Amino acid sequence: MIPIRDNIRPRKTPIVNWLLIGLNIYIFILQTTLSPPELQLFFQQFGIIPAQITNLDLRLLMAGHWEPFVPLISSMFLHGSWWHLLGNMLYLWVF
């Protein structure tokens, strides 16, 4: 069973959820406009590559070099297909 809504009504307008859903959709549409070589570079730059993450040194962050840590956040906005995006956005909307 796929949830469509929740029984608990929010007290406030879920602006942050709407912004996250909009940002995810925008980034996915951006992904679809890239050529295969550009898409590969995009994923290498903003996706998590396990070998790079395991070698991170927190002293870099303390020294102001935050670029190696960007994929820890940016990878959350990358999706593999329309179904992947729609499934994730449905659960973000419901919960």
Side-chain angles (χ1 to χ4, degrees), residues 24-78:
N24 274 286
I25 292 170
Y26 172 76
I27 291 172
F28 184 75
I29 291 172
L30 174 68
Q31 282 178 230
T32 62
T33 63
L34 299 174
S35 69
E38 291 172 329
L39 186 60
Q40 181 72 23
L41 183 61
F42 186 75
F43 283 144
Q44 286 177 347
Q45 187 173 5
F46 296 109
I48 287 183
I49 300 171
Q52 292 176 350
I53 296 300
T54 56
N55 294 328
L56 285 179
D57 186 358
L58 290 178
R59 289 177 289 193
L60 290 172
L61 188 60
M62 299 302 173
H65 300 287
W66 52 270
E67 294 85 11
F69 297 90
V70 168
L72 294 173
I73 301 298
S74 64
S75 64
M76 291 186 267
F77 296 93
L78 302 179

